[in-house]
Amino acid sequence: MLQELFKNTKEPLLNIYFTAGYPQLNSMPEILEGLVNSGVDMVEIGMPYSDPLSDGPTIQNSSSIAIKNGITTDMIFDQLSKCPSNISKIMMGYYNAVYLYGVEKFCEKCKDNGVSGVILPDLPIDIYLKEYKGIFEKYGISNIFLITPETTESRIRYIDECSTSFIYAVSSSSTTGKGTGIQSAEGYLRRLKGMNLTNPLMVGFNISTKEDFDFASTYTAGGIIGSAFIKHIAGSKNLTQDTETFINSIREKK
Amino acid sequence: MKIKVCGMKHPENINAVSQCEPDFMGFIFYKKSPRYVLDKTLVFAKEMNPNTKTVGVFVNSPISEVLEIVQEYNLNFVQLHGNESVDYAKKLYNAGVNLIKAFQVNKNFDWDKIKDYKPFVNYLLFDTATKSYGGSGLKFNWELLRNYKEEIPFFLSGGIEIDDAEMIKEIDLPQLFAIDINSKFETEPGVKNEELVNKMINTIRMKSKYQVNDKGFYGEYGGAFIPEMLYPNIKELQESYEEIIQSDSFQEELQALLKDYVGRPTPLYYSKRLSDHYKADIYLKREDLCHTGAHKINNALGQILLAKKRNKKRIIAETGAGQHGVATATACALMGLECVVYMGAKDIKRQAPNVARMKMLGASIVPVTSGSQTLKDATNEAIRDWINNPTDTHYLIGSVVGPHPYPDMVAKFQAVISKEIKNQIKENPTHIIACIGGGSNAIGAFYHFLEDEDVELIGIEAGGMGIDTPETAATLALGSQGVLHACMTTVLQTEDGQVIEPHSISAGLDYPGIGPQHAHLHKTKRVKYSNITDQEALDAAHFLSHMEGIIPALESSHALAYLEKMEIKPTDRIIINLSGRGDKDLETLTKTIKE
């Protein structure tokens, strides 16, 4: 499904991250409705974790609020099952939660609930290949790997070989929401474009405005916005409407 | 697994091989052997590094001659390699000689004949059967060892060569105690190739079932569960750390600092009053006497030298009790490197003296206000800093936690504790007790005893208000398997994988995970783990202060408190690793002084 999305869409793709269970325990349907209405291509559902090492203060804070709200992995799947839509869905989280949930059970639940990709930044590729690749394939779940400006060319090529939908290109060596400016990644994005990789690239980290998104999209298939969106919906009284307002500020409705 | 290098002859060669620190070195007193000792060999053997035990190998010599030689050259063991009778062994053994009885094994070997020797030998040695007495350079069929049903540990001998290391590792016999290497490591009879010996020793020691494997795991624990942002940094560290820290120039610099700057070796103090009180021999390993007041400096200096060799300009660290922060700030001041210490806001309040010391040493302290505001969150923030500064910064982790290679690297730097203990004792202690947060002082105190199964190793976690309450940090008692701070280990967590905020009166033990090696030592039952409450630790701190005039850190007080809980026999020789001094805890401690 992810593969088809990339194949069939000529326009830059917009992927929005939000933390499940935030701002309220049951906010997911409203947020998803806004995202679907405003024509977002992909959603990345964050599974909150108490110790998110790759995340800056914004996503850390949304995660700890969500945990306080009482969110669990099962509840995330339950919420997803209640708001079916055709939008491409990815789950993003840390390995520990998936490990404790059981990798096979997790993949099965993903499949049942229309999730076609998973991002686990702290699951090493060699362990994935050795232990879990078969399980992911059995349920048709694509494991999405990250690359950064520090990743060597040979490793990027290796990750490209291991990827089955797209590669998540982190725009700077940083935690999320650092706001160092996407423009400084130009050399890196240009280099990536020149590598003619098999899998499409989506750029994440440091994208918060239309300009950032357009800039990233010049070199890649599109961009991922997380922290900026989380900030936007903090304290929202009308999540669906506020979500649409945010998306429309990034990209005109298709 | 222990290693014996046998057939040593020439002084220069003995000197070179002893640098590799084999566990035993054998000298042959059989005149027909081409490796028969020289007079000058023996004078040298008297001065052997105490980590290497000397073994005299005899073949049917008169008992009086054996006794004379043992006495003259202080031999630690005698190996009987001929047809010595049970009565012969008994006489020597009763004269106080430690014995290894060799047997030559082939498919017709009568395993029953070992039985009569059992009361009079410390070890057995199985060699290849030959017409003369050993020295064939041939292996026997090791499958035959399956016929050995006794409990006495044995040396495996006969034609062992460098390529056998892997196969030896796979011999699944608990009685296999050591290997005996000789002719396959020689350039000529009696002259060992020290590089080859060193390689064998490293391979065998590396392959210990208690140590990290080549994938960075201890059994199922360990590994490097890191986001891609840290991959290049960790990968480079993984590939370079062993070579750097084993190099002569590195070791020279480190050893000099440990001696003259830290004040090592730290004493192994026989505590007379505790011994009288507990009716056994109690020793304190005085890590509290290290410069900066705790064992943490051993690791901080090791890593700072490593960081320098890797051209890092900036050092970051996490700290709980502030001891690691102080050690890091000290090492940075010494080397002129920028130092940033992450410390939980709650810990900043309860360990004020250490905060002041770090500031005095020129470190910047970043208060961490997320989560529990203690060690766990300080570690998170330090890792995030590292992600944001991947090229010029070294993350100086203070415990045996974090992604591979940190647990192994920190353990190697702290192993100096047990190495010194080995030099300071005549015979192995019965118990070694150490407190555990992440577990670095404990690994340091246990490291060189892990293969000595006769020593009971005991790790003490912080029970907090008690392990039946939520206010605890006893990870191994209550945790489950999971990933914390980039390694697979045991974690205090909910069923859903959210890490639970721990509690301990001692900031250094207030951690919801534990080093992966400890998780493995717990699973394999090599180390016994128990826990001590806040109150028991406080009581122990007051007790030691009154009994010995030593104010211990609250962390180390957990280890001391276990003396109250364990069954002690008069023959016990117990070592407590006194990991740090209590100056930093005075505010907490003085509140509980009984008027």
Side-chain angles (χ1 to χ4, degrees), chain A residues 48 50-52 55 96 155 174, chain B residues 228 380 384 388 483 498-499:
Chain A
S50 54
D51 297 79
D55 287 304
N96 194 46
R155 186 162 166 87
S174 68
Chain B
E228 189 64 28
N380 289 342
R384 289 183 188 118
N388 284 292
V483 174
Q498 308 297 352
V499 179

Side-chain angles (χ1 to χ4, degrees), chain B residues 142-342:
Chain B
W142 292 347
E143 280 300 311
L144 294 172
L145 293 169
R146 306 230 162 265
N147 297 317
Y148 177 59
K149 304 290 183 205
E150 311 297 337
E151 282 177 3
I152 297 180
F154 68 87
F155 289 69
L156 176 61
S157 182
I160 292 172
E161 53 200 309
I162 187 83
D163 293 338
D164 294 330
E166 295 299 320
M167 205 156 57
I168 288 166
K169 197 56 218 161
E170 278 166 26
I171 301 177
D172 187 22
L173 291 173
Q175 309 101 310
L176 174 55
F177 169 73
I179 55 166
D180 182 301
I181 59 175
N182 192 344
S183 64
K184 298 291 183 185
F185 292 81
E186 290 183 330
T187 50
E188 60 181 86
V191 180
K192 300 290 180 290
N193 173 342
E194 68 259 25
E195 272 178 34
L196 208 54
V197 170
N198 200 25
K199 193 173 163 203
M200 187 67 169
I201 289 179
N202 283 335
T203 316
I204 290 288
R205 289 200 179 142
M206 277 273 290
K207 295 287 172 191
S208 159
K209 61 187 168 187
Y210 302 126
Q211 298 296 353
V212 76
N213 67 20
D214 53 8
K215 298 263 189 292
F217 280 82
Y218 305 83
E220 55 202 283
Y221 304 102
F225 295 83
I226 45 164
E228 189 64 28
M229 289 77 104
L230 290 176
Y231 182 84
N233 217 329
I234 294 276
K235 179 91 179 156
E236 195 206 312
L237 194 59
Q238 285 173 351
E239 285 168 356
S240 65
Y241 83 106
E242 283 190 301
E243 200 182 324
I244 295 176
I245 69 178
Q246 282 167 11
S247 72
D248 291 346
S249 64
F250 182 93
Q251 279 302 326
E252 253 168 54
E253 206 174 346
L254 179 61
Q255 295 311 324
L257 282 173
L258 289 177
K259 179 170 171 284
D260 298 328
Y261 188 73
V262 177
R264 302 203 73 93
T266 59
L268 183 69
Y269 169 66
Y270 176 72
S271 170
K272 176 129 193 352
R273 297 194 69 202
L274 284 188
S275 297
D276 288 347
H277 180 85
Y278 287 110
K279 300 187 173 52
D281 287 343
I282 313 280
Y283 296 85
L284 303 176
K285 179 60 175 164
R286 297 292 308 276
E287 291 300 296
D288 61 314
L289 291 178
C290 287
H291 177 44
T292 71
H295 68 290
K296 294 289 187 189
I297 191 78
N298 304 331
N299 166 54
L301 286 174
Q303 283 196 51
I304 208 94
L305 292 181
L306 182 82
K308 254 184 53 181
K309 299 245 183 241
R310 297 177 67 229
N311 292 320
K312 303 295 175 183
K313 307 282 178 245
R314 180 173 173 269
I315 302 295
I316 55 172
E318 83 296 334
T319 197
Q323 286 303 130
H324 175 58
V326 168
T328 305
T330 300
C332 286
L334 183 68
M335 298 292 163
L337 293 174
E338 183 189 347
C339 179
V340 179
V341 178
Y342 288 88

Side-chain angles (χ1 to χ4, degrees), chain A residues 2 5-6 9-18 32 34-44 87-90 166 168 201-217 220-226 228-229 243-254:
Chain A
L2 280 170
L5 178 70
F6 283 96
T9 318
K10 293 281 167 281
E11 299 299 305
L13 297 173
L14 178 59
N15 179 359
I16 297 291
Y17 168 96
F18 68 95
L32 266 181
L35 293 173
V36 172
N37 288 348
S38 52
V40 159
D41 303 288
M42 243 185 271
V43 297
E44 192 179 314
I87 195 164
S88 289
K89 297 184 201 76
I90 292 165
F166 71 90
Y168 191 132
L201 293 154
M202 293 286 284
V203 183
F205 290 37
N206 299 308
I207 300 180
S208 56
T209 63
K210 179 180 185 344
E211 291 71 34
D212 297 340
F213 176 72
D214 290 345
F215 182 84
S217 305
T220 64
I224 304 165
I225 302 180
F229 177 64
T243 298
E244 288 181 42
T245 313
F246 181 84
I247 304 305
N248 293 335
S249 77
I250 302 293
R251 190 175 73 171
E252 280 171 32
K253 194 173 167 181
K254 277 198 261 186

